[in-house]
Amino acid sequence: MLFNSFEFIFVFLPITIFGFYGLGSFGLRQAAIIWLVLASFVFYGYWNYGSIILIISSMIFNYRMGIFLGNKYQNNPVKSYSLWVYHLFLYLGIAVNLAILGYYKYANFLIDNFNVFTGAELNLKNIILPLGISFFTFQKIAYLVDSYNGKTRNYSFLDYCLFVIFFPQLIAGPIVHHWEIVPQFANQKIIKFSYENFALGWTIFSLGLFKKVIIADGVSAYSTPIFVAAASGTELDSFEAWRGVLAYTFQLYFDFSGYSDMAIGISRIFGITLPINFDSPYKANSIIDFWRRWHITLSRFLKDYLYIPLGGNRKGETRRYLNLLITMLLGGLWHGASWTFVIWGGLHGCYLIINHLHISLKKYLSWHNNKQSILEILFYRILTFLSVVIAWVFFRSESLDGAIIILQSMMKFNFSSFFHNNLSNLTSNIVFYGFWLPFLLLIVWFAPNTQQILMQYKPTLSSDDSKISHAFLWKPNLLWATSLGLISFIAISKVLEAKASEFLYFQF
């Protein structure tokens, strides 16, 4: 079930809200939580009910494993074992989770590559990838590590279930920690309907829905045909190639930004505040800054549970750069079982290394305290943006050959090809480069984001200290109500007239 579908907006969400707050009005907190858990299972099982067995089995295993690991800190001689036993079970728990993820997501990839290198003809049946498995696997691994480190409490199985299965963030994040969300479930206030939470939640949801169905889906028409053509070996001119890559750059941005807003908005309707996951990443002035803004909770997980355990920056500069590269290569592979994702991750790993070397050079030359001029900031922002754009070519391409075709076409710089094309191509160039490109650049580089607009009401767990004009701050007044009503009307009209399209991050 998609957030941008008729079934979700007009059937599932209203029933879930009425059921949750209906039970809450009688003070039945546990019944309300059970209702939300069951609704989340319905939401997840809507695609494939067979996946419910997998996620329930996984939840039971990880919950019991978490309790066992947490016993390391209990002064109970019956439950106390040698430290190596807990260490062994921690690795066992992580291995089981990774094995499940590896089978569903990477088995065919490994077999295909084995066949290429050995000439064998091994074949696995078509494995259906359970939606959201990459996201909830990381959440459960983090829970086990935190249990081992004594950071978890004696959560009930019901609260743990909701932590894993909570439908707004189940499929594509944000990747939440237990300490961020489980204590909120215990708050008796969440079962009491709040007009403020509903208004904030619906505002954020509406903005996200608009981003998805109007902007992301609208600009996809300029992206998809180009990558499909490249995958088939079709030669492209430079304006076609750049149009396709830039269109995908914005499509992915607004698709993921829209999903993040919708997840945060839906959660807020139920009185739950999620962590920020998307913070205007194309405003970044460096690749380091980009990864502080793009998929923030994934970056946090990779840093805390991969980069730092590898040694982080504690073992010298060479080891630090190697750890960065390994982290980003695995981060790329996490996104998909394809060499294009590995290359994308490797590119960003190299970008980060270059960024850190640049910082070290500035410190060596004593330039790091110099205040940057507007021109410098603009230069670094454009350089960062173009670096990200180039990497997206591999991220989106269906094959290495397709990516190479697009990159070669981008390098042709045949400016006359803008006009020397058929009428359809010329029209696409004029509309995209004349309207879409300047409009979208203006938004992603200069406009305040959703969190900034609503900063007075703390829409996410993380605070935003940036300053924006008072005129852009959301207020419960007639002007904002009218504007949000119009945005909702336009977005829902699009939902009613067109088949809902999947969010791009669902495939990861």
Side-chain angles (χ1 to χ4, degrees), residues 202-215 450 453 474 479-495:
W202 184 257
T203 296
I204 299 169
F205 177 84
S206 298
L207 292 172
L209 183 64
F210 186 89
K211 290 177 185 178
K212 165 61 179 170
V213 301
I214 302 300
I215 301 180
T450 305
I453 292 170
W474 182 84
L479 177 62
W480 271 101
T482 304
S483 302
L484 263 297
L486 181 61
I487 286 173
S488 297
F489 175 77
I490 293 172
I492 291 176
S493 297
K494 186 69 174 180
V495 169

Side-chain angles (χ1 to χ4, degrees), residues 282-427:
Y282 291 165
K283 290 179 182 177
N285 298 327
S286 68
I287 291 295
I288 294 173
D289 190 23
F290 174 81
W291 280 106
R292 290 174 182 150
R293 295 166 173 268
W294 179 276
H295 210 329
I296 297 168
T297 56
L298 173 63
S299 298
R300 177 179 66 178
F301 180 92
L302 293 174
K303 176 186 175 183
D304 293 344
Y305 299 97
L306 184 57
Y307 174 71
I308 291 177
L310 284 172
N313 59 359
R314 303 186 303 274
K315 298 184 178 182
E317 289 298 296
T318 302
R319 180 64 181 272
R320 175 194 197 183
Y321 298 145
L322 179 61
N323 292 339
L324 273 174
L325 187 58
I326 292 172
T327 299
M328 294 311 298
L329 285 169
L330 292 176
L333 190 61
W334 175 86
H335 281 84
S338 169
W339 288 111
T340 55
F341 288 112
V342 175
I343 293 173
W344 172 78
L347 265 176
H348 273 278
C350 293
Y351 290 163
L352 287 169
I353 292 170
I354 294 170
N355 199 166
H356 281 287
L357 287 171
H358 177 249
I359 292 172
S360 297
L361 178 62
K362 288 179 69 175
K363 287 181 178 178
Y364 177 77
L365 298 173
S366 299
W367 292 350
H368 58 289
N369 291 323
N370 295 346
K371 186 177 180 180
Q372 290 183 335
S373 67
I374 294 177
L375 287 177
E376 282 183 290
I377 293 173
L378 183 61
F379 170 76
Y380 285 124
R381 181 169 297 185
I382 293 173
L383 179 62
T384 301
F385 178 75
L386 289 176
S387 299
V388 170
V389 168
I390 296 299
W392 286 143
V393 174
F394 292 97
F395 191 86
R396 171 60 179 86
S397 296
E398 297 175 18
S399 66
L400 288 176
D401 290 339
I404 291 170
I405 287 175
I406 288 180
L407 289 171
Q408 288 176 337
S409 300
M410 292 169 70
M411 296 300 109
K412 289 177 182 176
F413 295 110
N414 182 6
F415 293 100
S416 64
S417 64
F418 185 96
F419 298 101
H420 296 164
N421 268 311
N422 59 57
L423 181 60
S424 175
N425 216 2
L426 176 60
T427 302

Side-chain angles (χ1 to χ4, degrees), residues 444-457:
V444 301
W445 279 357
F446 303 107
N449 59 40
T450 305
Q451 286 72 38
Q452 292 172 320
I453 292 170
L454 292 155
M455 61 189 299
Q456 294 172 298
Y457 298 90

